[in-house]
Amino acid sequence: MPRSGRVTLNDVAAASGVSRSTVSFVLNDDPKQTISPATRDRVRRVAIELGYVPHGIARALREGSSRIVVLNVERTLEGNYSRSYIRGLDDELAAHDHVLLVRHGHSAPEATQQMLDVIAPRAVLRFGEAYLSGRELEDSGGGWAGGLAAHINLQIGHLARRGHRQIAMALPEHDTPITRAHVRFAEQAIDALGLLPLREFTVPRPRDAGTEALRAFLETGSGVTAVAAFDDDVALRTLTAVQDLGLRVPEDLAVIGFDDTEYGSLVTPALTTVHIDAEAHGRLVARLALGLDTAGLTATPGSVIVRDSA
């Protein structure tokens, strides 16, 4: 079936009798899609017969892969940590004549494939990959040495030093591998410090729902005197709920955030939180993506920003 000009996904779809998205799923070998073996074989056969080659791949064959690195960031992970991580990743890639392209939010597989076809990136990264995939022990950012586990240890340790023995973790509505990792690391920190077992509760939106959630939690007679929040957003919702219930912070309930967003310093009482500079983590990932030596990169230790709430 000879053709003139570049063969597109639409051409393969028309000749195969399937949708363009099905062709993309098959050629991208997407494991999440249930497509019959017969359809997969037909699409692949037609693609070969038509001589389909993604534009990006064709260019890569001529010139090698492009000097573009793609980073996908889920919106639930956006914050101070991700911003400093992106800054380090961008600066390190630029130092080696590469360009960073950041994509925010969820992208459909077809859109991702179109992007790959067009720019043939040197690498495609996912922010928080080790945690999103349940492989937190593979955290190249440092783990207990200087990554998420170490920073949660700072958060719990601060409360312990203030005399709190019964601590709860306040979580967002979405239950993800990241939230589960937070809870696991907090449980390990609490166990190491000899504190009472961690309690946990969710602080939903809107404001009234968050207040009722905290009321119901406190009515269980938990004996909790301090809350370690998943992030500053959840911490601020918790602070609001505490005040709506007529309780005092930190006298009745101490609250500590995580990730040091700017809003924590603007509320009353000002939010105690954990500050993390992830620039070195971003530089490390950049070098790993480019196959470069990572020697000499040292992460800046996290720190507790002590304000009024804990």
Side-chain angles (χ1 to χ4, degrees):
M1 293 190 290
R3 292 180 57 92
S4 60
R6 189 171 76 89
V7 178
T8 67
L9 282 178
N10 288 334
D11 296 326
V12 177
S16 303
V18 297
S19 68
R20 188 181 190 280
S21 60
T22 297
V23 172
S24 178
F25 292 144
V26 170
L27 297 183
N28 198 35
D29 200 22
D30 190 333
K32 297 180 181 179
Q33 302 300 318
T34 304
I35 301 172
S36 71
T39 299
R40 289 181 182 274
D41 290 343
R42 182 168 73 254
V43 169
R44 291 180 179 126
R45 184 178 65 254
V46 169
I48 292 172
E49 291 174 350
L50 291 178
Y52 171 75
V53 178
H55 176 65
I57 294 176
R59 184 178 63 191
L61 290 173
R62 294 193 305 270
E63 305 172 359
S65 60
S66 70
R67 289 182 170 268
I68 297 174
V69 172
V70 176
L71 174 68
N72 294 310
V73 182
E74 294 191 7
R75 294 202 181 279
T76 56
L77 300 181
E78 293 177 347
N80 178 62
Y81 179 93
S82 65
R83 285 192 291 271
S84 60
Y85 174 98
I86 290 169
R87 184 170 59 248
L89 180 63
D90 188 32
D91 288 350
E92 190 67 26
L93 289 173
H96 299 284
D97 298 320
H98 281 69
V99 175
L100 176 65
L101 170 63
V102 181
R103 304 173 76 220
H104 293 271
H106 174 74
S107 297
E110 185 174 3
T112 298
Q113 185 59 49
Q114 288 176 324
M115 178 269 296
L116 295 174
D117 289 350
V118 170
I119 66 175
R122 173 72 178 270
V124 178
L125 311 172
R126 185 166 64 150
F127 181 72
E129 172 65 33
Y131 299 94
L132 292 172
S133 58
R135 303 194 309 273
E136 60 265 19
L137 293 179
E138 300 174 20
D139 175 19
S140 61
W144 282 104
L148 180 61
H151 299 135
I152 292 175
N153 195 49
L154 279 175
Q155 186 187 40
I156 299 298
H158 175 77
L159 295 177
R161 287 190 296 274
R162 293 299 174 101
H164 298 285
R165 291 187 49 77
Q166 182 67 81
I167 297 170
M169 176 157 281
L171 300 169
E173 304 97 319
H174 48 273
D175 186 25
T176 69
I178 291 283
T179 60
R180 290 298 96 199
H182 268 252
V183 171
R184 283 196 300 275
F185 289 144
E187 289 174 336
Q188 292 172 34
I190 279 175
D191 184 61
L193 291 167
L195 306 180
L196 295 172
L198 180 73
R199 302 291 301 275
E200 58 182 271
F201 66 101
T202 299
V203 188
R205 291 185 173 92
R207 178 171 180 163
D208 289 348
T211 300
E212 284 307 308
L214 179 61
R215 183 200 306 275
F217 175 71
L218 293 177
E219 287 177 351
T220 64
S222 63
V224 166
T225 60
V227 172
F230 172 79
D231 59 16
D232 276 13
D233 182 50
V234 174
L236 292 173
R237 281 188 255 163
T238 303
L239 278 179
T240 300
V242 173
Q243 293 172 322
D244 285 351
L245 293 175
L247 301 176
R248 299 168 301 163
V249 177
E251 292 85 356
D252 296 320
L253 194 66
V255 179
I256 183 171
F258 192 86
D259 201 22
D260 189 26
T261 59
E262 62 178 317
Y263 303 107
S265 64
L266 303 178
V267 298
T268 302
L271 180 65
T272 296
T273 188
V274 176
H275 176 80
I276 308 160
D277 184 350
E279 186 170 328
H281 297 173
R283 290 185 180 277
L284 172 64
V285 170
R287 292 194 190 180
L288 289 172
L290 300 181
L292 301 174
D293 184 15
T294 60
L297 284 178
T298 303
T300 302
S303 60
V304 176
I305 306 300
V306 181
R307 298 192 181 110
D308 302 324
S309 69

